[in-house]
mmCIF file of all heavy atoms in Angstrom:
data_model
loop_
_atom_site.group_PDB
_atom_site.id
_atom_site.type_symbol
_atom_site.label_atom_id
_atom_site.label_comp_id
_atom_site.label_asym_id
_atom_site.label_seq_id
_atom_site.Cartn_x
_atom_site.Cartn_y
_atom_site.Cartn_z
ATOM 1 N N GLU A 1240 149.706 -125.693 160.923
ATOM 2 C CA GLU A 1240 148.793 -124.683 160.370
ATOM 3 C C GLU A 1240 149.544 -123.648 159.541
ATOM 4 O O GLU A 1240 149.056 -123.218 158.500
ATOM 5 C CB GLU A 1240 147.966 -124.013 161.480
ATOM 6 C CG GLU A 1240 146.821 -124.865 161.967
ATOM 7 C CD GLU A 1240 145.900 -125.371 160.846
ATOM 8 O OE1 GLU A 1240 145.440 -124.554 160.010
ATOM 9 O OE2 GLU A 1240 145.648 -126.589 160.804
ATOM 10 N N LEU A 1242 152.378 -124.207 157.903
ATOM 11 C CA LEU A 1242 152.786 -124.888 156.675
ATOM 12 C C LEU A 1242 151.601 -125.027 155.722
ATOM 13 O O LEU A 1242 151.727 -124.770 154.522
ATOM 14 C CB LEU A 1242 153.376 -126.263 156.997
ATOM 15 C CG LEU A 1242 153.914 -127.045 155.805
ATOM 16 C CD1 LEU A 1242 155.125 -126.347 155.198
ATOM 17 C CD2 LEU A 1242 154.284 -128.461 156.228
ATOM 18 N N LEU A 1243 150.439 -125.411 156.248
ATOM 19 C CA LEU A 1243 149.247 -125.537 155.416
ATOM 20 C C LEU A 1243 148.857 -124.193 154.809
ATOM 21 O O LEU A 1243 148.498 -124.117 153.629
ATOM 22 C CB LEU A 1243 148.078 -126.097 156.231
ATOM 23 C CG LEU A 1243 148.233 -127.526 156.739
ATOM 24 C CD1 LEU A 1243 147.070 -127.888 157.668
ATOM 25 C CD2 LEU A 1243 148.357 -128.510 155.607
ATOM 26 N N GLY A 1244 148.952 -123.137 155.597
ATOM 27 C CA GLY A 1244 148.631 -121.798 155.085
ATOM 28 C C GLY A 1244 149.579 -121.380 153.972
ATOM 29 O O GLY A 1244 149.150 -120.820 152.955
ATOM 30 N N THR A 1253 149.763 -120.460 142.016
ATOM 31 C CA THR A 1253 150.056 -121.334 140.884
ATOM 32 C C THR A 1253 148.796 -121.614 140.079
ATOM 33 O O THR A 1253 148.835 -121.619 138.843
ATOM 34 C CB THR A 1253 150.712 -122.643 141.366
ATOM 35 O OG1 THR A 1253 151.918 -122.300 142.061
ATOM 36 C CG2 THR A 1253 151.035 -123.565 140.211
ATOM 37 N N LEU A 1260 146.544 -119.892 131.152
ATOM 38 C CA LEU A 1260 146.960 -120.666 129.973
ATOM 39 C C LEU A 1260 145.802 -120.809 128.993
ATOM 40 O O LEU A 1260 144.638 -120.808 129.387
ATOM 41 C CB LEU A 1260 147.432 -122.066 130.389
ATOM 42 C CG LEU A 1260 148.641 -122.137 131.321
ATOM 43 C CD1 LEU A 1260 148.875 -123.578 131.774
ATOM 44 C CD2 LEU A 1260 149.871 -121.571 130.640
ATOM 45 N N ASP A 1262 144.673 -123.219 125.389
ATOM 46 C CA ASP A 1262 145.024 -124.469 124.707
ATOM 47 C C ASP A 1262 146.149 -124.246 123.696
ATOM 48 O O ASP A 1262 147.085 -125.039 123.618
ATOM 49 C CB ASP A 1262 143.795 -125.057 124.007
ATOM 50 C CG ASP A 1262 142.713 -125.507 124.992
ATOM 51 O OD1 ASP A 1262 142.975 -125.533 126.220
ATOM 52 O OD2 ASP A 1262 141.603 -125.814 124.526
ATOM 53 N N THR A 1270 163.058 -123.895 122.909
ATOM 54 C CA THR A 1270 163.698 -124.673 121.834
ATOM 55 C C THR A 1270 163.044 -126.048 121.796
ATOM 56 O O THR A 1270 162.324 -126.433 122.726
ATOM 57 C CB THR A 1270 165.218 -124.853 122.063
ATOM 58 O OG1 THR A 1270 165.406 -125.785 123.144
ATOM 59 C CG2 THR A 1270 165.918 -123.545 122.353
ATOM 60 N N SER A 1275 157.734 -127.905 126.725
ATOM 61 C CA SER A 1275 156.715 -126.946 126.299
ATOM 62 C C SER A 1275 156.028 -126.403 127.547
ATOM 63 O O SER A 1275 156.187 -126.941 128.663
ATOM 64 C CB SER A 1275 155.683 -127.627 125.397
ATOM 65 O OG SER A 1275 154.906 -128.538 126.158
ATOM 66 N N HIS A 1282 154.527 -131.275 134.584
ATOM 67 C CA HIS A 1282 155.607 -131.642 135.498
ATOM 68 C C HIS A 1282 155.296 -131.123 136.905
ATOM 69 O O HIS A 1282 155.508 -131.832 137.900
ATOM 70 C CB HIS A 1282 156.939 -131.081 134.989
ATOM 71 C CG HIS A 1282 158.059 -131.209 135.950
ATOM 72 N ND1 HIS A 1282 158.613 -132.423 136.307
ATOM 73 C CD2 HIS A 1282 158.749 -130.262 136.642
ATOM 74 C CE1 HIS A 1282 159.592 -132.217 137.181
ATOM 75 N NE2 HIS A 1282 159.689 -130.917 137.394
ATOM 76 N N MET A 1283 154.782 -129.913 136.994
ATOM 77 C CA MET A 1283 154.425 -129.365 138.301
ATOM 78 C C MET A 1283 153.289 -130.163 138.944
ATOM 79 O O MET A 1283 153.307 -130.418 140.149
ATOM 80 C CB MET A 1283 154.047 -127.894 138.172
ATOM 81 C CG MET A 1283 155.246 -127.009 137.835
ATOM 82 S SD MET A 1283 154.778 -125.329 137.434
ATOM 83 C CE MET A 1283 154.053 -124.769 138.951
ATOM 84 N N PRO A 1306 150.223 -139.241 130.088
ATOM 85 C CA PRO A 1306 150.248 -138.245 129.012
ATOM 86 C C PRO A 1306 149.786 -136.872 129.490
ATOM 87 O O PRO A 1306 148.929 -136.756 130.364
ATOM 88 C CB PRO A 1306 149.281 -138.814 127.965
ATOM 89 C CG PRO A 1306 148.439 -139.798 128.704
ATOM 90 C CD PRO A 1306 149.248 -140.301 129.856
ATOM 91 N N VAL A 1307 150.391 -135.841 128.910
ATOM 92 C CA VAL A 1307 150.024 -134.459 129.217
ATOM 93 C C VAL A 1307 148.606 -134.215 128.690
ATOM 94 O O VAL A 1307 148.308 -134.549 127.545
ATOM 95 C CB VAL A 1307 151.010 -133.474 128.548
ATOM 96 C CG1 VAL A 1307 150.602 -132.031 128.816
ATOM 97 C CG2 VAL A 1307 152.433 -133.735 129.023
ATOM 98 N N GLU A 1316 142.583 -128.069 136.226
ATOM 99 C CA GLU A 1316 141.798 -128.909 137.138
ATOM 100 C C GLU A 1316 142.668 -129.977 137.789
ATOM 101 O O GLU A 1316 142.517 -130.263 138.977
ATOM 102 C CB GLU A 1316 140.621 -129.548 136.409
ATOM 103 C CG GLU A 1316 139.709 -130.338 137.320
ATOM 104 C CD GLU A 1316 139.221 -129.571 138.549
ATOM 105 O OE1 GLU A 1316 138.997 -128.339 138.464
ATOM 106 O OE2 GLU A 1316 139.075 -130.208 139.620
ATOM 107 N N ARG A 1319 144.624 -128.210 140.544
ATOM 108 C CA ARG A 1319 143.760 -127.923 141.700
ATOM 109 C C ARG A 1319 143.465 -129.192 142.501
ATOM 110 O O ARG A 1319 143.524 -129.182 143.726
ATOM 111 C CB ARG A 1319 142.443 -127.313 141.231
ATOM 112 C CG ARG A 1319 142.522 -125.875 140.868
ATOM 113 C CD ARG A 1319 141.108 -125.331 140.706
ATOM 114 N NE ARG A 1319 141.146 -124.009 140.153
ATOM 115 C CZ ARG A 1319 140.651 -123.677 138.972
ATOM 116 N NH1 ARG A 1319 140.055 -124.568 138.208
ATOM 117 N NH2 ARG A 1319 140.725 -122.439 138.558
ATOM 118 N N ALA A 1327 144.650 -131.756 152.140
ATOM 119 C CA ALA A 1327 143.788 -132.617 152.950
ATOM 120 C C ALA A 1327 144.598 -133.733 153.610
ATOM 121 O O ALA A 1327 144.378 -134.058 154.793
ATOM 122 C CB ALA A 1327 142.670 -133.201 152.090
ATOM 123 N N ARG A 1330 146.692 -132.291 156.483
ATOM 124 C CA ARG A 1330 145.812 -131.918 157.600
ATOM 125 C C ARG A 1330 145.340 -133.171 158.347
ATOM 126 O O ARG A 1330 145.263 -133.174 159.581
ATOM 127 C CB ARG A 1330 144.619 -131.120 157.093
ATOM 128 C CG ARG A 1330 143.687 -130.671 158.203
ATOM 129 C CD ARG A 1330 142.645 -129.681 157.732
ATOM 130 N NE ARG A 1330 143.244 -128.346 157.751
ATOM 131 C CZ ARG A 1330 143.431 -127.599 156.667
ATOM 132 N NH1 ARG A 1330 143.066 -128.022 155.485
ATOM 133 N NH2 ARG A 1330 143.978 -126.406 156.766
ATOM 134 N N GLU A 1343 164.402 -139.998 153.486
ATOM 135 C CA GLU A 1343 165.415 -139.993 152.426
ATOM 136 C C GLU A 1343 164.700 -139.693 151.108
ATOM 137 O O GLU A 1343 163.816 -140.444 150.677
ATOM 138 C CB GLU A 1343 166.097 -141.361 152.349
ATOM 139 C CG GLU A 1343 167.146 -141.466 151.282
ATOM 140 C CD GLU A 1343 168.512 -141.000 151.762
ATOM 141 O OE1 GLU A 1343 168.728 -140.900 152.979
ATOM 142 O OE2 GLU A 1343 169.350 -140.732 150.892
ATOM 143 N N LEU A 1360 159.392 -124.439 146.433
ATOM 144 C CA LEU A 1360 160.455 -123.725 145.719
ATOM 145 C C LEU A 1360 160.600 -124.261 144.293
ATOM 146 O O LEU A 1360 160.798 -123.486 143.350
ATOM 147 C CB LEU A 1360 161.776 -123.832 146.476
ATOM 148 C CG LEU A 1360 161.826 -123.064 147.792
ATOM 149 C CD1 LEU A 1360 163.080 -123.424 148.576
ATOM 150 C CD2 LEU A 1360 161.728 -121.568 147.563
ATOM 151 N N THR A 1370 155.964 -118.191 133.202
ATOM 152 C CA THR A 1370 155.562 -116.823 132.864
ATOM 153 C C THR A 1370 156.360 -116.274 131.686
ATOM 154 O O THR A 1370 155.838 -115.489 130.897
ATOM 155 C CB THR A 1370 155.655 -115.867 134.069
ATOM 156 O OG1 THR A 1370 157.000 -115.782 134.526
ATOM 157 C CG2 THR A 1370 154.732 -116.312 135.199
ATOM 158 N N ARG A 1379 148.223 -112.792 128.779
ATOM 159 C CA ARG A 1379 148.230 -111.813 129.870
ATOM 160 C C ARG A 1379 148.744 -112.515 131.122
ATOM 161 O O ARG A 1379 148.257 -113.586 131.471
ATOM 162 C CB ARG A 1379 146.837 -111.252 130.116
ATOM 163 C CG ARG A 1379 146.322 -110.419 128.947
ATOM 164 C CD ARG A 1379 144.952 -109.839 129.246
ATOM 165 N NE ARG A 1379 145.011 -108.858 130.315
ATOM 166 C CZ ARG A 1379 145.328 -107.569 130.163
ATOM 167 N NH1 ARG A 1379 145.624 -107.106 128.970
ATOM 168 N NH2 ARG A 1379 145.335 -106.743 131.180
#
Side-chain angles (χ1 to χ4, degrees):
E1240 282 307 309
L1242 183 66
L1243 294 173
T1253 301
L1260 298 173
D1262 294 351
T1270 72
S1275 69
H1282 171 68
M1283 291 171 63
V1307 178
E1316 185 52 35
R1319 282 192 189 116
R1330 182 170 276 116
E1343 179 87 17
L1360 291 170
T1370 62
R1379 294 182 67 84

